[in-house]
Amino acid sequence: MNMNILRITLLSFFFSCQFVNAQTNTVLFTVDDAPVYTSEFKRVYSKNLDLVKDDSQKDIDNYLDLFVKYKLKIAEAKALGMDKKPTYLREFGNYKSQLAKNYLNDNKVTDQLIEEAYQRLLIEVDANHILVKIDENASPKDTLAAYQEVLKLRGRAIEEGFDTVKKDIHNGQTLFAEELGFFTAFKMVYPFESAAYNTPVGQWSQPFRTQFGYHVVWVKNKRDNRGEVTVAHIMLTDDKAGQTAQNRINEIYTRIKQGDDFSGLAKQFSDDKSSSANGGKLNTFSSGQLSSKIFEDQAFGLQNINDVSKPFKSEFGYHIIKLIEKKGIEPFDDLKSELNNKIKRDSRSKVINDKRIEKLFKKYNVSLDNADLSPFVNILNDDFFSSSWKVPANFKGDKVLLNIGTKQITQIDFADFLLKSQRRRQAKIPFDKLVKDNFKVFVESHLQSYQEENLEFENEEYAQILTEYRDGLLLFDLMENEIWNAAKEDSLGLENFYLQNKENYFYDVRVDAIVASSAKKKHIKKVAKQLSNNKSIDIIKGELNSDKEINVSFIVDTLEVNHQALPKGLDLKTGVSKIFKHNDAYSVVKIENILPKTLKSFEEAKGSVVSDFQEEKEKEWLLKLAKKYKVSINKEALQQVKTELK
């Protein structure tokens, strides 16, 4: 069984059994003296039957072996005190606090959300991200697998760099590693936006989830928002009639300086056909909306209306830009209404705060009318309004004022609240009203804090996600210390491992080839003939393609025989192949050279060697754990489990 699958399987055990009342179940086995119950194992087994492909893994004895190994890892992590480390506790606490906001029926009062959105609008964030894509309604095991994958990729990005990871994993389908450029509030889904704004420049965020899957984001830079601009441009992309595009753009720029109309020149010369008819005018844009950072920087660099840039080159050609309009971020008061409307449509505000409070009163059966508030009216005086009032020394306050769930709130709790609340500026009002008003705030605050404190016991989804992070973080630290750093610390052992197993690391048969593809068979027939006559690709392109029409495309590379551009069963011999239909197009291949199966050097195979070396280390480590911890299996309980699961 692949060790990555094994890790996922073992971790998923814990996440699928959070709400089992262990005291009512039979002990299946113990790790030292810590019991593990049959109900937990049965739930795990049933939920993960489809995770493994090998039928032998569905055998209960084999599955129990995996389950025991998982419990051994948990025991080892705790024995090492990794769950007590300040860095672990701090990271977990921050995540828990952030996660809870998504499950408390209200993230912030609407005004707080508006203020947050405006402050974020003032700042642009430049970020890269890694995404492990999963369906929004993915199963717990798929969710866990995605989470573990992104956590490992985060570690790789920190160690190896984003570009290395991007080159290795990005496939645009299930794994994404992308440079996003600059963006601001409302441009990304709210969890992504929050992670980007809350992560310091130069750091990677912790994993977080959106409807697309699990992400980590690296914040490259933050800057003041540049607002929006509207520009017109003239773009030249090709050399024509013996004159380079650069020379022609310089000539056009000279004519503009001489007073020629920019709009007319755009209509006559610009190669951007989507804007040339409109005098080169583009839609208004803000930072991050265009795919060219060079173009954006030039546009935002223009200061005054009708200013014209000097000619410059972007990824798409040569340009001259004219500024039509430039707007900064409007004042808060002018945007407040618009932001309020956006927030109502945004994931920020699912339920406003007063609705949440209303539900909590009903949920915990709490009433403001049942408490006796007269003792507090009696101990107040006018010192309260000058923030100098103190709770009288003879006020005992040991009577229970109200109950919220299992929590008792005493009189002294409210008296202390009044003591602190006088720091807030309050109008002078009758003491009975002051007490009543403050008591309402006091109870609402305790309702919210009680809900948050007990959220893990009231919301199964929250508890599962929290547990996923808690133990995922713990086991990640454990595996990193015990296994993943082994290769970095044991370079000699890594090379010896390669030498002992180098026959496992090889390049399969490859070909140096030219692959031509076209939607029309007639074009490929011409290409096949030209390739047979040893005509160059440039000559062939010149005959079949033009500025306005591309009839044939080429790949020139060293390709493995299973490359997507090559058909299955391709006759591996030098020369020009028969014409074949592949991937809904007609293709022909010219094989220049055939490279036989060859062993990879240590450097070429290093990625696979490290993975296999770590797998071997993990096997040895698990044997040590099995000797360190005493595992006692209840054979009668195991037999009962087998009977029930048949």
Side-chain angles (χ1 to χ4, degrees):
M1 182 179 180
N2 183 288
M3 287 304 293
N4 289 329
I5 296 294
L6 176 59
R7 291 189 185 107
I8 294 170
T9 304
L10 297 182
L11 284 174
S12 67
F13 287 143
F14 189 78
F15 306 144
S16 54
C17 53
Q18 295 309 302
F19 291 86
V20 175
N21 183 351
Q23 300 304 319
T24 63
N25 293 292
T26 305
V27 174
L28 179 60
F29 65 90
T30 58
V31 178
D32 284 352
D33 295 325
V36 180
Y37 297 93
T38 56
S39 60
E40 181 180 353
F41 178 78
K42 287 188 291 184
R43 288 174 58 115
V44 168
Y45 178 85
S46 299
K47 283 181 175 290
N48 292 284
L49 273 177
D50 60 343
L51 185 64
V52 292
K53 304 298 184 183
D54 188 347
D55 286 342
S56 67
Q57 296 295 339
K58 297 178 182 180
D59 178 81
I60 293 176
D61 290 320
N62 290 339
Y63 218 86
L64 179 62
D65 179 62
L66 298 178
F67 194 42
V68 169
K69 288 175 180 176
Y70 160 72
K71 290 296 184 181
L72 289 174
K73 288 184 180 181
I74 293 290
E76 179 70 358
K78 292 181 177 179
L80 294 172
M82 301 184 79
D83 58 335
K84 302 295 192 298
K85 289 168 52 181
T87 52
Y88 170 84
L89 293 173
R90 182 170 58 252
E91 193 166 347
F92 175 68
N94 291 338
Y95 179 82
K96 181 179 180 181
S97 178
Q98 184 66 30
L99 178 66
K101 295 176 182 179
N102 298 324
Y103 290 87
L104 295 175
N105 294 330
D106 177 61
N107 293 322
K108 288 286 185 180
V109 181
T110 302
D111 286 345
Q112 292 174 314
L113 290 170
I114 292 173
E115 177 65 27
E116 177 192 71
Y118 184 77
Q119 292 301 321
R120 290 181 177 180
L121 280 175
L122 298 176
I123 303 296
E124 296 176 347
V125 179
D126 185 14
N128 297 347
H129 84 126
I130 296 172
L131 165 66
V132 178
K133 189 175 180 181
I134 55 170
D135 187 76
E136 196 170 4
N137 299 314
S139 66
K141 67 174 176 46
D142 290 336
T143 299
L144 171 61
Y147 170 79
Q148 285 297 109
E149 179 70 13
V150 81
L151 197 61
K152 289 165 67 174
L153 291 175
R154 176 183 184 269
R156 284 190 58 192
I158 291 172
E159 292 296 327
E160 304 172 29
F162 174 78
D163 291 337
T164 299
V165 176
K166 177 183 178 181
K167 184 178 180 181
D168 186 41
I169 64 104
H170 179 83
N171 59 28
Q173 296 178 349
T174 58
L175 295 174
F176 295 79
E178 299 172 308
E179 297 182 41
L180 302 173
F182 281 97
F183 59 89
T184 187
F186 299 107
K187 299 297 184 182
M188 303 290 180
V189 292
Y190 186 59
F192 193 102
E193 176 191 307
S194 294
Y197 276 92
N198 293 332
T199 300
V201 173
Q203 293 188 22
W204 281 95
S205 73
Q206 290 300 321
F208 58 96
R209 188 170 182 179
T210 70
Q211 64 261 44
F212 307 108
Y214 272 106
H215 309 251
V216 286
V217 59
W218 179 46
V219 176
K220 298 166 64 177
N221 192 17
K222 294 181 182 180
R223 70 184 181 197
D224 292 342
N225 193 331
R226 299 189 292 185
E228 296 181 333
V229 292
T230 306
V231 301
H233 81 134
I234 298 170
M235 179 177 76
L236 301 182
T237 58
D238 299 310
D239 300 339
K240 295 179 180 178
Q243 191 178 24
T244 66
Q246 184 176 12
N247 288 337
R248 292 191 296 120
I249 202 75
N250 287 331
E251 289 180 0
I252 293 172
Y253 180 66
T254 299
R255 291 184 61 179
I256 293 171
K257 290 196 296 182
Q258 293 171 176
D260 283 21
D261 179 63
F262 188 101
S263 177
L265 293 171
K267 292 177 181 178
Q268 185 176 359
F269 296 107
S270 180
D271 288 333
D272 180 8
K273 302 308 178 185
S274 64
S275 68
S276 60
N278 196 28
K281 185 178 178 180
L282 301 173
N283 293 331
T284 300
F285 60 88
S286 56
S287 289
Q289 284 191 262
L290 302 186
S291 55
S292 173
K293 182 178 182 298
I294 297 171
F295 192 96
E296 282 189 0
D297 289 342
Q298 287 284 339
F300 282 103
L302 298 174
Q303 298 300 319
N304 303 308
I305 304 304
N306 295 324
D307 279 357
V308 175
S309 74
K310 293 181 179 179
F312 65 93
K313 187 178 183 181
S314 77
E315 302 89 333
F316 305 101
Y318 289 89
H319 308 261
I320 304 171
I321 294 177
K322 178 181 179 180
L323 181 61
I324 297 174
E325 186 180 18
K326 190 174 188 179
K327 291 168 48 178
I329 300 299
E330 297 177 45
F332 176 79
D333 288 341
D334 293 345
L335 277 180
K336 188 173 182 179
S337 177
E338 179 182 342
L339 292 175
N340 184 37
N341 290 332
K342 282 188 175 182
I343 284 171
K344 288 179 179 178
R345 301 190 301 267
D346 190 72
S347 57
R348 285 166 167 78
S349 182
K350 295 183 179 179
V351 184
I352 59 175
N353 193 57
D354 56 353
K355 187 65 175 177
R356 176 190 173 195
I357 295 297
E358 178 185 339
K359 290 182 178 180
L360 292 180
F361 272 109
K362 295 178 181 178
K363 179 177 182 177
Y364 298 120
N365 194 27
V366 173
S367 172
L368 297 175
D369 301 327
N370 297 334
D372 180 12
L373 302 180
S374 59
F376 305 100
V377 177
N378 295 333
I379 63 174
L380 285 177
N381 57 50
D382 285 347
D383 290 344
F384 187 91
F385 301 107
S386 60
S387 300
S388 58
W389 175 78
K390 294 183 179 180
V391 179
N394 61 353
F395 183 77
K396 293 183 179 180
D398 54 356
K399 291 184 178 181
V400 175
L401 194 56
L402 77 158
N403 294 300
I404 300 178
T406 60
K407 185 176 183 179
Q408 290 186 333
I409 310 296
T410 63
Q411 289 176 326
I412 195 62
D413 294 325
F414 183 45
D416 289 339
F417 178 83
L418 288 172
L419 181 65
K420 295 175 182 177
S421 69
Q422 67 179 326
R423 299 170 188 168
R424 303 194 307 267
R425 189 172 182 178
Q426 300 188 42
K428 193 169 184 178
I429 58 175
F431 291 130
D432 59 344
K433 178 171 174 52
L434 185 150
V435 169
K436 184 177 181 180
D437 290 348
N438 276 274
F439 184 65
K440 181 176 183 294
V441 175
F442 170 77
V443 173
E444 289 178 354
S445 174
H446 274 276
L447 283 169
Q448 293 178 83
S449 62
Y450 183 83
Q451 183 193 23
E452 185 166 355
E453 291 165 4
N454 290 274
L455 188 59
E456 190 171 357
F457 309 105
E458 297 178 354
N459 188 299
E460 182 174 354
E461 181 183 21
Y462 169 79
Q464 289 176 340
I465 294 175
L466 191 63
T467 299
E468 173 186 324
Y469 190 86
R470 177 192 287 122
D471 288 272
L473 183 62
L474 183 64
L475 290 183
F476 179 85
D477 289 346
L478 177 70
M479 295 297 291
E480 184 175 49
N481 289 343
E482 299 295 330
I483 303 300
W484 299 334
N485 286 336
K488 289 185 289 186
E489 297 171 0
D490 190 7
S491 57
L492 182 60
L494 192 63
E495 291 189 33
N496 287 334
F497 182 85
Y498 164 76
L499 292 173
Q500 294 168 10
N501 300 277
K502 63 181 181 180
E503 67 278 0
N504 295 330
Y505 308 109
F506 57 86
Y507 288 112
D508 208 341
V509 177
R510 293 169 294 160
V511 293
D512 290 330
I514 300 171
V515 183
S517 175
S518 176
K520 297 182 179 180
K521 191 174 184 179
K522 65 178 182 179
H523 296 312
I524 288 300
K525 285 184 176 180
K526 293 180 180 179
V527 172
K529 184 176 181 180
Q530 298 283 49
L531 289 175
S532 297
N533 292 329
N534 294 319
K535 292 290 182 69
S536 71
I537 292 176
D538 288 339
I539 291 175
I540 299 173
K541 285 182 177 180
E543 293 183 4
L544 294 176
N545 295 341
S546 67
D547 295 340
K548 297 181 179 180
E549 189 175 19
I550 303 298
N551 290 312
V552 62
S553 298
F554 291 88
I555 295 175
V556 183
D557 205 349
T558 300
L559 307 176
E560 293 187 358
V561 293
N562 61 351
H563 189 277
Q564 63 189 38
L566 301 177
K568 292 182 180 180
L570 177 67
D571 190 8
L572 295 182
K573 63 181 182 180
T574 57
V576 179
S577 73
K578 295 180 180 179
I579 294 172
F580 54 88
K581 193 166 186 180
H582 182 57
N583 294 331
D584 298 323
Y586 293 96
S587 297
V588 67
V589 178
K590 182 178 182 180
I591 297 178
E592 306 277 10
N593 188 27
I594 300 173
L595 305 176
K597 177 180 176 179
T598 55
L599 291 177
K600 292 183 179 180
S601 68
F602 173 72
E603 288 301 324
E604 291 171 328
K606 191 171 183 180
S608 298
V609 173
V610 168
S611 178
D612 293 344
F613 183 63
Q614 290 173 343
E615 184 174 333
E616 187 68 24
K617 286 284 185 181
E618 186 171 356
K619 289 179 181 177
E620 296 172 358
W621 176 57
L622 283 169
L623 290 174
K624 292 179 181 178
L625 293 184
K627 294 179 180 179
K628 180 177 180 180
Y629 297 97
K630 181 180 178 182
V631 177
S632 298
I633 296 176
N634 183 340
K635 294 184 178 179
E636 291 183 4
L638 177 58
Q639 186 58 48
Q640 181 63 31
V641 167
K642 290 180 177 179
T643 301
E644 294 175 7
L645 292 177
K646 280 185 179 179

